[in-house]
Amino acid sequence: QVQLLESGGGLVQPGGSLRLSCAVSGRTFSGYTWAWFRQAPGKEREFVACIWRGGRPYYTDFVKGRFTISRDNDKNTVDLQMNDLKPEDTAVYFCAADRQLILSTMRSPEQYDYWGRGTQVSVSS
């Protein structure tokens, strides 16, 4: 069983930065895909970024060049560095993990077995 706990959310002005962290317990990193999703009020949960089992990162188009996902094997965390934040980035951000994804389904939240409870990110002046 994998337990995930997000932290690092908050209120930031447009153009600012935040770093989200997902603390992983219960299993090692080996063999898992680790992802960040987000959900804004009234909208469906959407894919933000993931680190595939082999370590390659993938990003959705609207965060490319602004967000960076990384994995720290020593600290057992999966981080999301978010720069140049925009009001449309406001959402609850969730960490997720799965061991049996195939590449074509990595953007589908229903394919992930493990989820954290989320952390709120608000971008406003």
Side-chain angles (χ1 to χ4, degrees):
Q1 192 77 2
V2 175
Q3 291 85 42
L4 307 174
L5 181 63
E6 303 94 336
S7 62
L11 174 64
V12 64
Q13 292 186 342
S17 298
L18 281 175
R19 187 176 184 89
L20 305 183
S21 187
C22 175
V24 179
S25 59
R27 285 290 186 271
T28 66
F29 281 139
S30 177
Y32 284 83
T33 293
W34 307 92
W36 285 94
F37 285 78
R38 70 187 188 187
Q39 189 166 17
K43 295 188 176 181
E44 294 186 349
R45 193 166 297 190
E46 62 180 2
F47 174 84
V48 175
C50 77
I51 291 182
W52 194 248
R53 291 189 289 270
R56 178 178 175 177
Y58 292 86
Y59 300 93
T60 193
D61 286 346
F62 53 76
V63 305
K64 281 182 181 177
R66 299 190 298 126
F67 292 10
T68 303
I69 189 170
S70 61
R71 186 177 71 187
D72 189 322
N73 292 340
D74 292 332
K75 294 181 179 179
N76 275 5
T77 61
V78 180
D79 295 339
L80 186 68
Q81 177 66 42
M82 305 187 296
N83 299 327
D84 190 23
L85 283 160
K86 307 177 186 299
E88 51 265 40
D89 294 318
T90 295
V92 177
Y93 284 70
F94 297 90
C95 182
D98 198 88
R99 197 167 185 178
Q100 298 180 329
L101 285 174
I102 58 175
L103 198 61
S104 61
T105 64
M106 66 174 174
R107 289 176 171 82
S108 302
E110 61 271 16
Q111 300 298 322
Y112 288 76
D113 283 341
Y114 304 103
W115 289 87
R117 293 188 176 185
T119 184
Q120 176 70 47
V121 171
S122 299
V123 184
S124 175
S125 55

